[in-house]
Amino acid sequence: MIRKNISTDSLRPINTPYQRPHDKLQEVVVHADDDSDQAIVRRAPSLRWRRGMFTLSVTAFTFGILMLLFSSPSIRNEVLAPGGLCSAHARILAEKGTDRCASCHPAAHQSLAGWVSTTVWGPQANQPTQSELCLKCHSQSLGDDFAMNPHSISPATLQRMTDAVASTTQSQLDSISRMPSPVYDGKVACSACHREHQGDQQSLSALTDAQCQSCHKNAFHSFELDHPEFKNFPVKRRSSIAFDHASHFGKHYPASKTEFSCAQCHPSDSGNVVQTLAPFEQACAQCHKQGIETSSAEGIALIALPTLDVDAIENQKASIGSWPMAATGDFDGPLPPLMRILLSADPQAAEVLNKKDDQFDFSDLDPDNAADVADSVTLVWAIKRLMFEMARDGEASIARRFQVVTNEDLDAERLAGLVQALDTHALRNAATRWLPDLQGEVGEQVPIYNASIELRRKFELQLARSRDAIYLGDSTERALAKVISEFAQHQNDQSREIDGSQWLAVNPLHGLKQAKDNGTGKSGDQNEADGQEAFTPVVEESQVEPLVQRPPNSPVSDTSSKNTPDPTELKLPTVKDVGAKPPANVLARENEAQEQSYNQQEWAVGTTPPQNDPSREIDGSEWLAVNPLQGLKRMGDNAKGQVDDEDAGLPGKEGNVESIVQRPSNLRSSGKPSTNTTESAQPKLPLAVDNGEKLPTKNLAPENAAIANPYIKQGEMEGSEWLVENPLAKESAHGQTQKTALVEEPKEKPTVDLGKENTSQAPVANVQVPAEVKWPTELPPIKEGWIRDDVTFQLRYQPRGHADPVLKNWIDVVSKLPQSQTASALSPAFAQLISREGVGDCRRCHTADQQDDRSLLVNWKAVYRNPDIAGFTKFAHGPHLTLPKLRDCSQCHQLETDRRTFETYESFDAGQAATNFAPMKVADCASCHQAGSVSNSCTQCHNYHVAPEAVCDR
Amino acid sequence: MVALACVVNVLGQALWHSAFFTGYLLLGSFGVLTLFGVRKRISFIPKVGSASFWMQLHIYVGLATFVMFGMHVNWSVPNGIFESTLAVLFLIVGCSGVYGLIITRAYPAKLTSVGGEVVFEKIPLERARLASRARALILQSGESAEVLGQFYVNRLAAFFEKPRGWMYLAMPSGRLKRQLVSDISDLNRYLTKDQREVGEKLSQIIEDRDRLDYHGALQGRLKGWLFLHIGFTYSLLLLSIVHGILAHAFAGAIG
């Protein structure tokens, strides 16, 4: 192109060259004579023109290269990358090839126009930020909530910590409101500190001291020169376990002639990072195990029925409905602290309890004082409502009552605690055993609480999670799905299962009523139509009828009931019913011995040993209702020949079984005996054991079996056993009284399709148990440790030494009640469980910290520090212990025997740093960590990203 | 520059990306520097400052961009292809500017010291005249000056008729001149007195030619550095703008 512009040579005067700055061409002399004024010149491109063309060419070349780049994304990403990635990112993103940029940069998939748009108008609203893309991978370690907040903790926590530091030191930290500009809305972009594309040799996590001091205005020149002095380092707070190193070192170990060795209780962890604390069995059990077992020997009562002076109550013309005869006499019996809490949720009971002191006992009531008697009646009905609700709703009822008392929702943790701390089966079992008429008496008074329904759902989730943790060892989601599917399967299989809420729905006296109806030729429906049915039968009448143990003179006998289970067994399923192994523990034997002793006392009254007589056969609900002494009275009544079988078993009618048998005073007033034979007056006492072994009746001769367990009647048995043959059927067939009823194990568990009956039998009047309230039907056996004591009418738990999970959960539940230290309803439970003298001696060693809401948090773990959870300060023992002089622990941890610590452990203030060791000094560390020696940078000992768990008070 | 360093330091401590700050400063500086060329093209417009002012401004801002660039890349070598290219372009333009600044201050004195004054565009004419004068001098000496004629044909013709090579333009020196003058002096023993005068005149012409070549070499440099300085300026501007767009689009700040 340039050559085209070159003109042919021409002869021109040399003094007038064709030269102008902006001319594209200029004249170049080719030949000139020295003596001539003219020269041969050639027109050629000027220098300026050449420069312009060069500039244009370079610019056009550059532009062309850029266009080529932008048209090829793969090449573009490679060329535009500002530098190599760090090795970790490079390794992870290598498989993505040229598309790896999009892993971190939302703009990687945009065009040039998109980039210009982003530059001019900012990123699109729906476009994730780069930090959000970072958290796609790093949220697992940083969490989702506060990952981009300073130190990855909540602003409130950071502000609280900042204020705390500022109040105690001269440190100048910027408050969150005055954070540097890169902090937008309290958040810091990841790239503010982590600058990528510096090559594979860079440390992406390396921070400079200047970066730290962008917020920490109190600039330190170096660690060894002006770092603030440690404050009680390394003891930021008292230890979780109340332990006096000084006394153990100077007193206890020498007394036991044992060498005091640090490593015995503080072995290194697997990572050689921290010195952990050895488990209880290794470090403490040798000296403390026996004391713990002794302290928990009495157990802890959840429910207890008080002894009532029914005469005094009757004298005041008050009514308490049915009540176990064995629990009558003079007013007596304390309210277990936990029961007191539950009763406090009942407004009427709360009004009474608020008038009483913390140590209220029924023996404090004056039977001649009308107000005291009225209070007792109020409490009795409250107890009945409590037990009915417990039986119907299980743990949900207790959770609801806790919520009412504390006026706050139970969080998931406490719900989980209740799941672990309760035994639904034991609750229902106790209620149906002791107060079988609850449905009729208080069923309509206790509504279905929406709170309970909601809590039930939560319980199911918590139960699923706990099962997951205990059994499956699997991910929570999978375990939850599995357990829920199990629940659904069980609920669909109703032919083999009975919902717990239905136990009470089966009216224990219904069978008797049906017997009567059968005798009169009426059906249950007809009775309902007659307005005589106070209870709604849940079990279909055709099934119930042959199972009901009728009076011997019943005109109707039904032989079709062979091999059909006793419906009362449905109310009282026992360990065997659900397939669990009968616990052969000492408690069972004790209960058995206790029961036999009790029997002997009864026989000593002068009655004859019980004879097997079907006429005495009433359904199991009567066992508790029958006053053992009532039989004696009946004997007298029988002598008068006053028998009204027709009235027997008609609830709500004077002279029926319920009113007569369960209320001796009524019996006395009516003067009607319940049976027509003297044998029917056999004293009946409650079975003492349900979670224990079966009473040894099976292998005894019938007479001996009856002696051994007089409460087992013909055709009737403990709840754990099932009839093979209906004794009534035999009686009917043989036309004579069945003398014996051997209890045999069923070869196959009988089933009753209650669910079907429920749906087919309408209307359901009193049983208002919606599907939401139903508990999963496959109930576990009574958990080990739970005791339903039918002698003292207590449902209590016997802790099993150290780290008993149930006791721990109860302590957790009670400790987290914010008013537990002051409210009168809660203070007894607090004294029983939380005080240092409480059951199990738990709090003697495990400290409790008061929370902001005044609740307590018991420190069950000896060491909460997890080396995998990053705190503000990090320290690894391992590298230090490689130095010979530091292998002696006392080099850094100097024991000061005159430091007393137990006073601080008794307090609930966790902020008190109780230690027997002298605090460490900066100089101790700075002897090595200084300029020119071991690193003295901020990040040598401090983390920036702090796990939220690390900044809690522990 | 000290103030700028302090600002960058403050920004760095405040967790800011100071590269954005220095980048915008650089881009603005490029604009100011480019305006110098615009100013030269709109010289007819008054009140935009004298060319000298713009020249001084161009020089100082240009020198400041080196510091800005150092801060921008954190005094490290960029390792991305695009950014490395951009850095190379900056260095070409910047360093050529510094070179131009140096030679425009140093070469006039050198040219003055060697004597003579010639317009760069007239150097070919002068060179042609010197060659013609030398040729005429030999021709005038006739056949009697066979030795001189032979020497002219063998040594001086190429010297006078052709421009100096790239080596001389890169490193101008008087070694060839001295060699030729020395050789003529060595011929004196074979020359007559008249011929010796012709030889002396030839030596003078050789010195004039060498001086002219020296002028040409230095004045060529004074004009040649602009090829780099201006030639890559627009590429640098183009890539800098693209770099800024990319930096914003790919920035990791919270949006």
Side-chain angles (χ1 to χ4, degrees):
Chain A
M1 178 178 177
I2 295 176
R3 289 196 175 276
K4 285 183 180 177
N5 295 322
I6 298 175
S7 62
T8 56
D9 297 345
S10 60
L11 190 64
R12 288 180 58 82
I14 58 174
N15 290 328
T16 57
Y18 185 72
Q19 300 283 350
R20 288 189 304 184
H22 304 292
D23 285 344
K24 188 164 60 177
L25 300 175
Q26 67 178 14
E27 293 178 340
V28 179
V29 175
V30 177
H31 178 80
D33 292 330
D34 188 37
D35 53 354
S36 174
D37 293 336
Q38 293 185 330
I40 299 174
V41 299
R42 177 182 298 169
R43 301 186 68 181
S46 68
L47 196 62
R48 178 182 292 270
W49 189 85
R50 291 182 182 183
R51 195 176 67 204
M53 291 306 296
F54 176 76
T55 302
L56 183 62
S57 300
V58 172
T59 305
F61 177 79
T62 306
F63 185 80
I65 291 295
L66 284 177
M67 291 301 103
L68 282 175
L69 285 180
F70 294 148
S71 63
S72 175
S74 58
I75 300 176
R76 178 188 74 182
N77 291 340
E78 292 296 330
V79 173
L80 298 184
L85 299 173
C86 69
S87 57
H89 284 168
R91 190 166 53 250
I92 293 171
L93 298 178
E95 61 183 17
K96 295 191 176 182
T98 56
D99 196 36
R100 65 183 182 277
C101 303
S103 301
C104 303
H105 299 286
H109 285 158
Q110 290 181 334
S111 63
L112 177 62
W115 295 341
V116 174
S117 173
T118 301
T119 303
V120 177
W121 290 287
Q124 299 172 4
N126 58 351
Q127 182 175 297
T129 64
Q130 183 176 318
S131 296
E132 289 172 347
L133 293 179
C134 296
L135 291 176
K136 274 191 172 181
C137 296
H138 293 279
S139 62
Q140 188 173 6
S141 58
L142 300 176
D144 293 323
D145 298 332
F146 306 111
M148 288 191 290
N149 287 87
H151 292 297
S152 302
I153 57 179
S154 73
T157 303
L158 183 62
Q159 189 64 62
R160 178 170 54 79
M161 300 179 72
T162 303
D163 294 341
V165 172
S167 63
T168 56
T169 69
Q170 298 301 315
S171 297
Q172 300 171 9
L173 286 83
D174 268 0
S175 68
I176 294 176
S177 60
R178 292 187 288 115
M179 280 292 179
S181 298
V183 181
Y184 297 102
D185 192 23
K187 296 182 177 179
V188 184
C190 304
S191 61
C193 297
H194 306 294
R195 309 286 170 87
E196 247 298 7
H197 296 289
Q198 305 297 320
D200 58 358
Q201 299 299 319
Q202 68 163 335
S203 173
L204 200 58
S205 59
L207 294 179
T208 63
D209 291 354
Q211 284 177 303
C212 298
Q213 294 182 348
S214 62
C215 294
H216 297 263
K217 296 299 184 185
N218 195 5
F220 310 133
H221 295 94
S222 65
F223 170 72
E224 64 273 19
L225 291 180
D226 51 4
H227 187 283
E229 188 55 76
F230 299 148
K231 183 182 179 183
N232 293 329
F233 183 79
V235 181
K236 190 169 67 174
R237 48 154 291 156
R238 68 185 181 190
S239 58
S240 298
I241 301 298
F243 186 83
D244 191 337
H245 283 86
S247 62
H248 282 77
F249 174 76
K251 181 180 175 183
H252 303 310
Y253 272 72
S256 62
K257 297 181 180 178
T258 307
E259 181 187 3
F260 187 89
S261 169
C262 301
Q264 180 182 355
C265 298
H266 297 286
S268 297
D269 70 333
S270 57
N272 206 22
V273 174
V274 295
Q275 304 305 111
T276 60
L277 188 60
F280 170 84
E281 291 73 16
Q282 178 182 338
C284 317
Q286 185 177 0
C287 299
H288 295 284
K289 182 179 180 182
Q290 188 173 4
I292 292 173
E293 292 175 348
T294 303
S295 172
S296 57
E298 292 184 359
I300 177 172
L302 174 62
I303 299 294
L305 298 187
T307 303
L308 301 180
D309 189 338
V310 293
D311 290 335
I313 294 173
E314 189 171 278
N315 290 339
Q316 297 296 331
K317 301 188 183 308
S319 173
I320 58 169
S322 61
W323 193 257
M325 287 303 299
T328 59
D330 294 333
F331 284 124
D332 193 14
L335 285 178
L338 296 175
M339 185 178 180
R340 184 178 176 124
I341 295 177
L342 301 177
L343 286 176
S344 297
D346 189 311
Q348 299 175 36
E351 184 179 353
V352 173
L353 291 175
N354 287 338
K355 294 188 297 186
K356 311 298 182 185
D357 60 19
D358 295 349
Q359 306 300 324
F360 167 71
D361 191 297
F362 270 77
S363 61
D364 299 336
L365 300 176
D366 181 0
D368 298 327
N369 185 319
D372 280 1
V373 174
D375 287 347
S376 71
V377 172
T378 301
L379 290 177
V380 165
W381 285 110
I383 291 172
K384 288 191 172 185
R385 287 191 292 272
L386 167 65
M387 298 199 67
F388 174 78
E389 192 181 338
M390 287 197 313
R392 188 188 60 191
D393 300 340
E395 296 98 331
S397 68
I398 293 182
R400 186 193 68 79
R401 285 175 176 258
F402 263 100
Q403 289 191 166
V404 171
V405 173
T406 60
N407 195 27
E408 65 173 12
D409 290 337
L410 290 177
D411 54 22
E413 187 180 2
R414 276 183 281 181
L415 283 174
L418 276 178
V419 170
Q420 298 293 326
L422 289 172
D423 182 0
T424 307
H425 189 55
L427 293 175
R428 290 171 173 157
N429 207 318
T432 52
R433 280 281 189 181
W434 299 341
L435 300 169
D437 294 334
L438 284 175
Q439 167 69 29
E441 291 181 344
V442 297
E444 295 180 349
Q445 301 176 26
V446 183
I448 302 295
Y449 295 99
N450 289 332
S452 296
I453 296 173
E454 183 61 28
L455 286 165
R456 174 65 55 86
R457 294 194 184 98
K458 292 183 179 178
F459 269 122
E460 289 177 357
L461 289 174
Q462 293 299 330
L463 181 63
R465 292 194 177 104
S466 64
R467 285 183 177 180
D468 163 43
I470 295 172
Y471 300 114
L472 301 178
D474 204 345
S475 68
T476 302
E477 290 73 14
R478 278 195 296 170
L480 190 59
K482 183 176 181 180
V483 173
I484 289 175
S485 67
E486 289 175 357
F487 285 174
Q489 183 179 355
H490 289 319
Q491 287 169 347
N492 291 332
D493 191 15
Q494 292 183 3
S495 62
R496 295 184 58 83
E497 295 165 350
I498 304 167
D499 185 277
S501 62
Q502 291 173 309
W503 297 344
L504 281 182
V506 179
N507 184 358
L509 298 181
H510 178 64
L512 294 180
K513 179 180 185 307
Q514 286 184 325
K516 169 185 174 295
D517 294 339
N518 290 333
T520 57
K522 290 183 178 180
S523 67
D525 292 339
Q526 287 172 323
N527 285 334
E528 287 179 4
D530 294 341
Q532 298 175 357
E533 178 59 34
F535 302 93
T536 300
V538 174
V539 182
E540 190 177 6
E541 193 169 343
S542 60
Q543 284 185 294
V544 173
E545 182 179 357
L547 302 176
V548 173
Q549 300 168 4
R550 330 170 168 282
N553 55 351
S554 173
V556 177
S557 62
D558 189 350
T559 57
S560 65
S561 61
K562 287 185 177 181
N563 302 325
T564 307
D566 188 336
T568 59
E569 295 301 320
L570 304 179
K571 297 181 295 181
L572 303 171
T574 62
V575 174
K576 196 179 73 174
D577 291 341
V578 290
K581 293 186 292 185
N585 55 20
V586 177
L587 293 173
R589 290 194 293 271
E590 289 177 353
N591 287 331
E592 182 181 346
Q594 191 178 28
E595 180 184 355
Q596 291 185 2
S597 173
Y598 189 25
N599 297 339
Q600 291 170 1
Q601 292 174 7
E602 293 301 324
W603 303 134
V605 174
T607 59
T608 57
Q611 301 298 318
N612 298 316
D613 187 348
S615 63
R616 296 186 292 105
E617 292 174 355
I618 53 178
D619 76 329
S621 64
E622 287 181 301
W623 295 350
L624 291 177
V626 173
N627 184 347
L629 301 178
Q630 180 184 337
L632 299 177
K633 178 166 180 51
R634 287 183 181 178
M635 290 174 63
D637 294 337
N638 289 338
K640 299 175 183 178
Q642 298 176 352
V643 178
D644 189 353
D645 286 338
E646 292 296 319
D647 288 337
L650 292 178
K653 188 173 181 180
E654 187 178 13
N656 62 18
V657 172
E658 181 185 26
S659 60
I660 293 175
V661 175
Q662 297 178 354
R663 297 188 59 189
S665 57
N666 292 347
L667 177 65
R668 286 195 296 270
S669 60
S670 64
K672 294 181 180 179
S674 60
T675 59
N676 59 354
T677 64
T678 56
E679 292 177 349
S680 66
Q682 293 293 343
K684 300 176 185 297
L685 291 177
L687 282 172
V689 178
D690 192 72
N691 64 336
E693 297 173 331
K694 290 186 302 182
L695 294 177
T697 58
K698 184 176 177 180
N699 298 326
L700 296 176
E703 295 79 8
N704 294 336
I707 292 172
N709 186 359
Y711 320 111
I712 298 181
K713 305 184 302 269
Q714 295 162 340
E716 210 169 16
M717 63 210 72
E718 293 180 289
S720 60
E721 298 167 329
W722 297 85
L723 276 175
V724 176
E725 293 182 336
N726 185 349
L728 292 181
K730 285 186 177 179
E731 173 197 353
S732 176
H734 300 158
Q736 59 183 9
T737 302
Q738 183 73 27
K739 293 298 182 182
T740 60
L742 284 178
V743 179
E744 298 182 12
E745 294 286 339
K747 294 180 179 178
E748 184 178 357
K749 184 178 177 181
T751 61
V752 177
D753 192 352
L754 291 181
K756 182 179 179 181
E757 308 309 327
N758 273 333
T759 56
S760 62
Q761 189 168 5
V764 179
N766 293 332
V767 183
Q768 301 173 355
V769 183
E772 291 84 348
V773 186
K774 290 182 179 180
W775 185 248
T777 52
E778 185 84 7
L779 289 172
I782 289 181
K783 294 177 183 174
E784 188 177 357
W786 284 94
I787 302 169
R788 197 199 74 232
D789 190 340
D790 291 340
V791 176
T792 61
F793 294 100
Q794 283 189 353
L795 178 64
R796 66 175 184 267
Y797 178 74
Q798 181 70 48
R800 291 163 293 175
H802 181 260
D804 183 87
V806 174
L807 182 58
K808 169 183 173 296
N809 281 309
W810 270 115
I811 292 177
D812 277 341
V813 170
V814 173
S815 67
K816 289 170 185 171
L817 301 177
Q819 305 296 325
S820 57
Q821 298 175 58
T822 56
S824 61
L826 308 178
S827 56
F830 182 83
Q832 184 185 37
L833 296 172
I834 311 299
S835 68
R836 289 174 61 83
E837 295 75 24
V839 176
D841 275 352
C842 303
R843 284 268 297 111
R844 280 191 179 279
C845 296
H846 294 277
T847 59
D849 303 338
Q850 190 165 40
Q851 308 298 298
D852 294 336
D853 60 356
R854 295 187 60 203
S855 66
L856 296 177
L857 186 63
V858 179
N859 298 306
W860 294 114
K861 289 184 180 178
V863 177
Y864 282 90
R865 182 175 54 186
N866 183 345
D868 296 329
I869 297 176
F872 277 111
T873 305
K874 57 185 177 182
F875 181 83
H877 277 85
H880 293 81
L881 295 180
T882 58
L883 301 177
K885 70 172 184 178
L886 295 183
R887 287 176 189 164
D888 178 11
C889 302
S890 62
Q891 186 73 23
C892 296
H893 306 289
Q894 297 171 1
L895 186 63
E896 294 184 346
T897 55
D898 56 341
R899 282 175 172 258
R900 308 306 301 171
T901 59
F902 257 85
E903 293 76 9
T904 56
Y905 285 127
E906 291 174 354
S907 166
F908 296 131
D909 180 8
Q912 300 188 40
T915 177
N916 299 117
F917 297 96
M920 293 184 65
K921 303 292 183 185
V922 171
D924 297 336
C925 304
S927 60
C928 294
H929 291 274
Q930 55 180 283
S933 183
V934 186
S935 171
N936 63 347
S937 67
C938 301
T939 54
Q940 180 70 24
C941 301
H942 297 295
N943 294 313
Y944 172 78
H945 287 293
V946 178
E949 308 93 295
V951 295
C952 66
D953 291 334
R954 295 180 186 281
Chain B
M1 287 301 104
V2 174
L4 178 62
C6 292
V7 170
V8 170
N9 186 45
V10 168
L11 292 175
Q13 287 192 358
L15 302 181
W16 265 96
H17 280 264
S18 60
F20 279 95
F21 175 72
T22 54
Y24 273 112
L25 275 182
L26 271 175
L27 197 59
S29 300
F30 290 164
V32 172
L33 295 171
T34 309
L35 283 178
F36 174 62
V38 177
R39 166 65 183 83
K40 288 196 295 186
R41 287 170 174 79
I42 57 173
S43 57
F44 55 90
I45 300 177
K47 299 181 181 178
V48 291
S50 64
S52 174
F53 166 77
W54 278 98
M55 185 66 204
Q56 294 300 311
L57 181 66
H58 187 84
I59 291 172
Y60 291 126
V61 172
L63 291 176
T65 56
F66 281 97
V67 181
M68 294 179 201
F69 179 79
M71 293 177 182
H72 185 69
V73 299
N74 199 23
W75 306 105
S76 60
V77 178
N79 51 9
I81 297 175
F82 181 82
E83 295 187 347
S84 297
T85 303
L86 186 59
V88 169
L89 282 178
F90 172 81
L91 292 176
I92 289 174
V93 175
C95 292
S96 63
V98 172
Y99 175 74
L101 173 65
I102 294 173
I103 63 176
T104 52
R105 300 297 170 90
Y107 282 7
K110 284 188 176 180
L111 294 174
T112 303
S113 65
V114 297
E117 186 173 341
V118 61
V119 178
F120 179 73
E121 286 75 12
K122 289 186 176 181
I123 288 177
L125 175 61
E126 294 299 324
R127 186 185 299 131
R129 282 180 173 177
L130 288 175
S132 174
R133 191 185 305 167
R135 187 170 54 249
L137 192 62
I138 292 298
L139 291 176
Q140 288 173 2
S141 61
E143 295 180 355
S144 59
E146 184 181 355
V147 176
L148 282 176
Q150 194 66 34
F151 182 76
Y152 178 84
V153 171
N154 293 337
R155 300 291 303 276
L156 296 181
F159 175 73
F160 284 116
E161 298 298 333
K162 294 180 180 178
R164 305 291 285 269
W166 285 103
M167 285 296 293
Y168 182 82
L169 293 177
M171 292 184 293
S173 73
R175 185 170 60 87
L176 180 57
K177 178 199 69 175
R178 290 191 295 272
Q179 183 66 42
L180 290 175
V181 171
S182 174
D183 290 345
I184 291 175
S185 177
D186 291 342
L187 292 176
N188 284 338
R189 73 186 73 172
Y190 307 108
L191 300 179
T192 63
K193 182 178 179 183
D194 294 337
Q195 290 174 340
R196 288 178 185 170
E197 291 177 356
V198 172
E200 289 175 356
K201 289 180 182 177
L202 277 176
S203 297
Q204 185 62 44
I205 294 173
I206 289 172
E207 288 187 356
D208 290 343
R209 171 62 193 269
D210 184 72
R211 188 181 304 112
L212 188 64
D213 288 341
Y214 189 72
H215 272 270
L218 266 57
Q219 289 191 46
R221 290 184 188 181
L222 286 172
K223 295 181 181 298
W225 68 273
L226 286 172
F227 271 76
L228 295 178
H229 191 67
I230 297 176
F232 289 97
T233 290
Y234 298 99
S235 293
L236 174 63
L237 273 176
L238 181 61
L239 292 191
S240 297
I241 293 172
V242 172
H243 173 69
I245 292 173
L246 291 175
H248 274 289
F250 285 76
I254 297 175

